[in-house]
């Protein structure tokens, strides 16, 4: 029917295709797109095409409950078109549909006012009174809007009867007392922002304790009017009606509205089916509701299994097995069981890649019904054979379930067969199955049966023990191999660290020796040429390494000591680095405790006074004992530091500052842990498994903020947290994770938001299910990759770095045009430094195989020139 409607709409709007192109095309793709229905109705109303507008509203009302605003617009349009009494009856029918969707005082007020206009007809006054009475029953107890209905009724009776006897003041003190009790909750609703779910929940709990069914119903209806897409609220309301009021029309109406608002929630459909059966609905009505449930679009395969179970339970209760007269009902039950298996195997498995019934619960129930009620053990055995062929033969509990069925309704021969097959096939708990077989033979079997059972169980257990021994041996071998690999890695790491330390010590010693010799030739009052050329300070080997490792895998180094007094002629580099950072307080390594320290990283390299800034930033967490910013040998801040507290309680407060911005970059704060002492330490990681209450949004504009995203997402449920994914510099990636209170809200958000537009960007929304990451297959970190790659001639920071050669041109001659410098060496083909004669004395090859030149070598070459 909906397809025919779209075809008709397309024909009617063929001339105006540009106006309705977008909503029409989207509805042709997805007929359940709520927003497109709303957009189409707005466009048709603007054009004044009332006939087509009526069709669009009619189709939308068949699919969804309409909001108060849509109903009021529709009713006012229809009232303007009313010409005769037959048209008035159509408007009355439309009002009756409107008041069933939600509890809306405005719609009821419009209804009674419209009915007053027809009181001149036969039975008009009685009709008006009847509508007023229904309105008062429905919304008369509405704390803020119910008074308008009472006042309208009072004025109507004054005009008709010229008396106010129907209204007495006997209940006024009680009403005022009730008003005082409800006042705090009403005030909380006034000051809170939509959807006000928490405030309504508190109000509902209060009214349920008070115990007035009418007031409980009215507050539920008020809450649902603003939170119609919250399944938990519908479940709570329908459960209250089922257990407390038990009024058929009221209960069934609430259940119907619940599944129309939240069709994806299986629990609501299940409760609806039970309510229909409980109140004696006819069989066709229950069947129709069940068919609608199958087309509701549940979010997981297990939901379909459970809704099928509810329907099969209903059909089983219709069969009267005792009298044997329910042949048709029994055939219908068997046909439903067969259809359910086909549905799960084909439709559900195609959609979810699984049937949802791994343990074959439906087939087990069918087999038990055949055995218990129909006395058909042959059919029950066939069903259990099918169950075992679906991968369940290896589980002991499945065989024991079958054995119990045979024990209850079968015979000893089939019990023995079942247990022998169980001993042969079971892989999870073979000892238990063997015990059951031996106990059975003790009670039922002969000596030959006992001997056969003992032999079979011993053979099985011996084979199982051998397999377990092989598996244990294999695991032991793998464990030893892993230990050897770990030991090898630790040893290689220690050797590499020792080698690196010795190279730094040798290089620093050569440099200090060369400068001492060269200083004697230049004099004490003149600065060294090497220092003048580079504009750097020589800190030598005084920088001590602190072997402390954090989650980033970096080793820290203390800040360089204060610079010694320079000769009078020393010229400071005005364009270089700022003055040396202040030296932190000396705390011995014995006094440092990892549990009282945090590691701070991802700080800007150009951060001024990092020690002072970190001290100011963390002073609110506790007493800061020491801040140890880490610098390079040249005094450049490396972007990370250690903050030592006096109390370990301050560490937990400091960790709360993780991801806080510092000069435009997110600061990373993590526990300070030595991985050599704690190799099993795990840092915080976001979950990589499916989280059904959380959604993943991609395709967001980079300008999207948390506030914008929250405004968009809170329309579909209560938003707990929002995380915008950024890179290390704090720039957004266009991705976000949004956590809702429950799975139903997240599912509703996916249905409503996926494919929608945000600032001219089409966003994609799905349930959070990050792909698993295999760290061992990933490439090494960029820091390691960067060390292995050849650097460009302009240096690591691009063309912004000066490209002025640090050697006199007379001393440098490049032998190959494509030679590239890296860390003071040249890769082949290489450049040579010569004193003017190729291969003569003084030639120094700068190949990667030779050692880097020291200050002494440079000084000798300059002196020779």
């Amino acid at each position: 029917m909906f397809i025919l409607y779209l075809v008709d709409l397309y024909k009617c709007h063929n001339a105006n295709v540009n106006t309705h192109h977008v909503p029409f095309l989207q509805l042709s793709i997805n007929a359940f797109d709520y927003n497109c229905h709303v957009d189409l109705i707005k466009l048709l109303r603007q054009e004044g095409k009332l006939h087509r507008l009526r069709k669009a509203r009619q189709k939308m009302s068949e699919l969804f409950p309409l909001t108060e605003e849509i109903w009021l617009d529709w009713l006012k349009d229809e009232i303007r078109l009313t010409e005769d009494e037959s048209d008035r009856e159509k408007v009355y029918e439309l009002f009756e549909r409107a008041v069933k969707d939600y509890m809306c005082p405005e719609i009821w007020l419009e209804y009674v006012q419209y009915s007053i206009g027809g009181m001149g007809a036969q039975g008009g006054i009685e009709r008006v009174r009847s509508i007023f009475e229904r309105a008062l029953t429905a919304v008369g107890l509405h704390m803020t809007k119910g008074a308008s209905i009472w006042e309208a009724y009072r004025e109507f009776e004054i005009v008709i009867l010229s008396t106010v006897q129907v209204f007495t003041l006997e209940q006024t003190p009680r009403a005022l007392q009730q008003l005082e009790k409800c006042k705090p909750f009403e005030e909380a609703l006034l000051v809170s922002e939509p959807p006000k779910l928490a405030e309504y929940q508190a109000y509902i709990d209060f009214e349920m304790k008070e115990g007035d069914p009418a007031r409980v119903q009215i507050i539920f209806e008020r809450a649902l009017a603003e939170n119609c897409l919250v399944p938990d609220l519908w479940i709570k309301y329908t459960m209250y009606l089922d257990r407390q009021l038990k009024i058929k029309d009221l209960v069934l109406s609430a259940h119907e509205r619940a599944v129309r608002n939240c069709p994806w929630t299986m629990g609501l459909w299940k409760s609806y089916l039970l309510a229909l059966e409980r109140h004696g609905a006819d069989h066709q009505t229950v069947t129709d509701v069940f068919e609608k449930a199958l087309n509701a679009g549940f979010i997981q395969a297990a939901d379909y299994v459970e809704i099928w179970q509810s329907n099969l339970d209903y059909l089983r209760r219709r069969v009267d097995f005792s009298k044997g007269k329910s042949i048709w009902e029994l055939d219908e039950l068997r046909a439903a069981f067969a259809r359910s298996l086909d549905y799960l195997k084909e439709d559900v498995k195609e959609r979810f890649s699984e049937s949802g019934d791994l343990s074959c619960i439906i087939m087990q129930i069918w087999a038990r019904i055949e055995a218990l009620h129909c006395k058909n053990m042959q059919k029950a055995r066939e069903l259990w054979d099918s169950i075992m062929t679906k991968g369940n033969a290896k589980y002991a509990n499945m065989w024991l379930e079958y054995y119990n069925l045979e024990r209850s309704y079968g015979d000893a021969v089939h019990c023995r067969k079942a247990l022998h097959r169980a001993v042969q096939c079971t892989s999870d708990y073979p000892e238990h199955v063997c015990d059951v077989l031996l106990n059975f033979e003790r009670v039922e079997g002969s000596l030959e049966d006992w001997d056969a059972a003992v032999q079979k169980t011993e053979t099985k257990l011996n084979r199982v023990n051998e397999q377990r021994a092989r598996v244990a041996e294999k695991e032991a071998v793998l464990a030893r191999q892993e230990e050897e690999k770990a030991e090898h890695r630790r040893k290689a790491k220690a050797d590499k660290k020792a080698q690196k330390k010795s190279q730094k010590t040798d290089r620093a010693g050569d440099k200090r020796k060369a400068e001492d010799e060269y200083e004697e030739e230049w004099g004490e009052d003149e600065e060294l040429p090497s220092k003048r050329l580079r504009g750097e300070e020589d800190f030598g080997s005084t920088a001590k390494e602190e072997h402390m490792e954090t989650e980033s895998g970096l080793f820290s180094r203390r800040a360089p000591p204060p610079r010694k007094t320079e000769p009078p002629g020393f010229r400071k580099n005005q364009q270089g680095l700022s003055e040396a950072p202040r030296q932190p307080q000396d705390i011995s390594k014995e006094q440092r405790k990892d549990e009282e320290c945090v590691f701070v990283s991802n700080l800007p390299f150009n951060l001024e006074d990092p020690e002072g800034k970190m001290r100011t930033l963390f002073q609110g967490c506790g007493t800061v004992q020491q801040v140890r910013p880490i610098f390079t040998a040249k005094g450049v801040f490396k972007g990370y530091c250690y903050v030592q507290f006096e109390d370990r309680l301050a560490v937990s407060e400091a960790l709360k500052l993780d991801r806080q911005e510092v000069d435009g970059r997110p600061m990373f704060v993590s526990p300070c842990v030595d991985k050599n002492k704690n190799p099993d330490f795990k840092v915080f990681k976001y979950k990589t498994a499916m989280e059904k209450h959380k959604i993943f949004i991609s395709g967001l504009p980079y300008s999207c903020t948390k506030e914008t995203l929250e405004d968009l997402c809170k329309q579909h449920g209560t938003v707990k947290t929002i995380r915008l994914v950024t890179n290390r510099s704090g720039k957004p990636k266009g991705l976000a994770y949004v956590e809702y209170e429950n799975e139903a809200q997240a599912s509703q958000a996916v249905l409503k938001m996926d494919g929608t537009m945000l600032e001219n960007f089409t966003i994609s929304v799905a349930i959070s299910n990050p792909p698993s990451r295999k760290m061992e297959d990933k490439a090494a970190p960029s820091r390691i990759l960067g060390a292995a790659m050849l650097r460009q001639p302009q240096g690591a920071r691009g063309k912004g770095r000066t490209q002025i050669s640090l050697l006199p041109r007379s001393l440098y001659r490049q032998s190959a045009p494509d030679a590239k410098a890296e860390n003071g060496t040249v890769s082949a083909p290489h450049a040579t430094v010569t004193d003017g004669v190729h291969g003569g004395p003084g030639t120094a090859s700068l190949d990667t195989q030779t050692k880097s030149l020291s200050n002494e070598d440079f000084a000798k070459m300059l002196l020779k020139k």
Side-chain angles (χ1 to χ4, degrees), residues 215-229:
R215 301 201 61 81
V216 173
Q217 181 190 355
I218 198 70
I219 191 58
F220 263 118
E221 292 288 353
R222 288 178 62 185
L224 289 169
E226 296 190 45
N227 300 274
C228 59
L229 299 179

Side-chain angles (χ1 to χ4, degrees), residues 42-69:
K42 288 181 179 178
L43 290 172
L44 292 173
R45 194 163 189 263
Q46 289 174 2
E47 290 188 354
K49 309 292 184 180
L50 297 181
H51 177 69
R52 300 166 190 170
L53 177 61
R54 182 182 293 134
K55 280 189 175 183
R57 285 166 169 166
Q58 183 70 28
K59 292 301 177 182
M60 183 178 180
S61 67
E62 293 175 1
L63 297 174
F64 307 100
L66 303 185
T67 63
E68 176 185 334
E69 179 184 0

